[in-house]
């Protein structure tokens, strides 16, 4: 599984980028973006996704549904 950032909710604060253990979060043209190829939802590193934990906006970082 992977996560994504809801562009309409993101305020581009950047809090998520430094806490990502897989370096999957990059600054995009408008808002930050999460690479679905490398995002692990922090499985194996933490009990919960660290980006979701530090994000100041509810429902900004969500599971990517296949």
């Amino acid at each position: 599984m992977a996560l994504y950032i809801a562009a309409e909710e993101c305020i581009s604060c950047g809090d998520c980028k430094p806490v990502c253990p897989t370096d999957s979060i990059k600054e995009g043209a408008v808002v930050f973006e999460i690479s679905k190829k490398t995002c692990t939802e922090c499985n194996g590193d933490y009990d919960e996704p660290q980006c979701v934990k530090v994000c100041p906006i509810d429902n900004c970082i969500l599971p990517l549904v296949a």
Side-chain angles (χ1 to χ4, degrees), residues 1-2 21-22 39-49:
M1 276 297 254
T22 59
C39 176
T40 63
E41 293 186 20
C42 294
N43 287 332
D45 291 301
Y46 298 97
D47 291 334
E48 64 181 300

Side-chain angles (χ1 to χ4, degrees), residues 2 23 32 45 51:
D23 199 30
F32 283 82
D45 291 301
C51 58

Side-chain angles (χ1 to χ4, degrees), residues 14-50:
D15 289 355
C16 55
K17 189 176 187 302
V19 299
C20 181
T22 59
D23 199 30
S24 296
I25 302 173
K26 304 289 184 213
E27 191 169 357
V30 179
V31 297
F32 283 82
E33 299 171 349
I34 300 174
S35 170
K36 65 181 178 183
K37 292 180 182 181
T38 57
C39 176
T40 63
E41 293 186 20
C42 294
N43 287 332
D45 291 301
Y46 298 97
D47 291 334
E48 64 181 300
Q50 296 300 286

Side-chain angles (χ1 to χ4, degrees), residues 47-59:
D47 291 334
E48 64 181 300
Q50 296 300 286
C51 58
V52 175
K53 184 176 177 180
V54 301
C55 184
I57 308 298
D58 290 336
N59 297 316

